[in-house]
Amino acid sequence: MSVNIVAFGNERDVLSEDSQQSSLMWSYLRRSALISEIDSSPSAEHARSAVTTEYQACVFGNVRLVVHDCPLWWCLKSSVVILLVIPKITETNMCKYAALEHRQDIFDSDWYTSRSLIGGADIIVIKYSVNDKTSFQDLKDSYVPMIKKALNHCSVPVIISAVGARKNVPCTCPLCTLDRRSCVTTSEGAQLAKEFGATYLELHALNDFYIQKYFGGVLEYFMIQSLNQKSSEKMKKRKKTQKCHRLQPPQLEQPEKMPILKGEASHYDSDLHNLLFCCQCADVAFYSEDSSKVVEAHKVILCSVSHVFMLLFDVKSPADIHDPSILRTAQSLFAVEAGAGLPTPHGVPPCSVPIRVVVKDSVFCSCLPDILHFIYSGAFQWERLEEDIKKKLKDSEKTEHVLEKVKCILKTPGKVNSLQDCQSHQIKRLYSTSLRLFFNTPVLADVIFTIQGATVPAHRAVLVARCEVMAAMFNGNFLEANSILVPVYGVSKDTFLSFLEYLYTDSCCPASILQAMSLLICAEMYQVMRLQHICELYIITQLQSMPSRELASTSLSIVSLLKKAKFHNSDCLSTWLLHFIATNYLIFSQKPEFQDLSVEERNFVEMHRWPSSMYLKQLAEYRSYIHSQRCHCTIM
C-alpha cells in the first residue's frame, strides 16, 4: 500500500541570496522520525526538464510514500521578473530561463499529463513564498482553477502552506505609502484556502517545530485518513470478490406471526345496571308514605355508594359517622319500618322478604327510580339525571331540592359537597373500590360458600349480576336457591377467592402461569368469558417475556398447558400455544413432553416449525463447505 503526495509551487524567496535554501517537502522527509530510506530518483523525462522531482520513502514502517515535487510549475512565468532584477546574467542562465519558459508552455498545453499527475494524488500540497506576491497571484489566477478542474470528480485533501517570514508587511492605514504588493498577507492566503476548501498553514521557518510538529502533523493526519480509506475499499473489493465465488449462506426466514388474541371489553357497569331492572335477589324495598311500593334495590350496592345507607342498614353506627350532615340526611329522608330486621323463617330464601324503607320526602320519592338508575349505572351521567328530574317535576325549585338531596346522599364524609363530587371521577370508582370493601366479609352477606373445609361469605346480588351461571343457580329450581350454605367442588380455595374478587372488582392479578390456568378453568366452569380471556392474555404475556435460556430450563410443561386449554374449550390459547411450540421448535423438541403431543398436533408443529428443516439442511451444507475451504465464516 502506498501514499502519493503531489506538491506544487516554489516556497523559496525569489529575491533571497541563499541559493541553497531547502524545499518544504525535502525538509519534511529529512526531519520526520517516521520516514526512512529516502530516495530521490527522478525519471528520465523529468531529469531532462527538471520540472518534477520524485522522492520515495517508507513511512509508518512498511507503507510506501511517493512525493512528486513540482517547484517550477507555477513559478516559471515569473522568470521575466527574475531576468529584470538580476544585473549579471550568464549565458548558461539565459539558456536555463529559456528552457524554463519552454517548459511552462508544455505544462500549459499538456492538460492530460497534468490531470494524470493530479488524479493519482492522495494528498496535494500547494506552497508559496509570502514575500513573492506576483507568483502567488499567478498561482491564484492560472493554476488553482486547473487543479480544481482536475479534482472535479474526486475528493483529495489539499494543504496550502505559506512559507517564510514577511519582510515588508503592508500597513492597513489608507495614508501609508508602503508597497502593499511586496508580500502576501495572511487574509489572502486564508481566503484562497477557503475558496479551495483546503487546510491553511503558515510556516515562518523550515525548522523542526514548523516542519515536524506543525506541517508534519497535518500531513500525517491526511496520510492516515488516506490509508484507512484505501484499506476499507480494498476490504470491500475482497469481500465482493469472495461473495461472487463462494457459496452463499442460507437465508433464515422470519417465523410465522403469532395469532392475535383480542380482549373483551368490560361490561361491569351494565351488569350492575341490569340488576336493578330484573330485581333479582332484591333485599330492600322503598315505599312512599302512603304505603305504595316505589322500587326495589340491594343493600350491598346502596351501601357501597353512600354512608347514609350504611347508617340505614346498620352497617355503621352513628358513633362511626362524625359528619352531622350525613346523620341529618338519613333521618330526614328515610325510615326503616319496625320488624323489618327480623330473621326469616326456616326454609325461606334470605332475600325473599326485602326490608321495608319509607321515603319521607314525597318529591324525592317520586324521583327515586331515576336516582337509583343513576347510581346503578355507575353514577357517571349527572347531566342526564338533571334532565330526567326536570322533565318529571317541571319545577326548577323542586328540581334543585332533589338534586341537593342526591348530593347529600353521595357526599364523602368530612368534605364539602359540590357538583364535581357527583361527576364520574369521584363516584364511578364506587364499584371498583367500594364493592371491594364487601369482598370476603360477612357484612350484609346472604350466602356462604364452603370449600376445602373453609367458608367464604358473599352477596347474592353481586354474584347474580356478574355471573349467569350463579344467576340461574340462585333463581332456579336448584338447592342453592333456598340455602345459605353452598358447597363448591373442583377448584381450590385460593382460585375461587380470585374468581370472586374479579366478580366484585372487575380485575384480577394471577401470581403465576399455573394460577392463571386454574383461574381460567374456574372461569370456564362458571361461563365468565371475559375473565377467561384475561387469564389467556396473562399466560401469553408471561410466556412471551421468557428468554430462551429460561424457556429451556423451566419445569413448566407447555404441552400440559396446551392439553388443559383444549379440554376447557380455550381455543384461542390452545392455537397460540401450538404456534409457540412451533416457533421455539429447537427448544421444545429436546424436551420429553414433546412426545406427549398428539399426531395431529405434531404434524402442525412440524409444518410451522422455525427454523425450518430445509434451512437447517442448507446450513449444514454451508458449514461443510466453509470447513472444506479452511476459512472462517464471517456471517454465521
Side-chain angles (χ1 to χ4, degrees), residues 5 153 269 283 462 492 495:
I5 300 175
H153 299 291
D269 294 336
D283 52 4
V462 178
S492 65
T495 301

Side-chain angles (χ1 to χ4, degrees), residues 364 455 576 627:
F364 182 85
T455 58
W576 188 91
H627 181 71

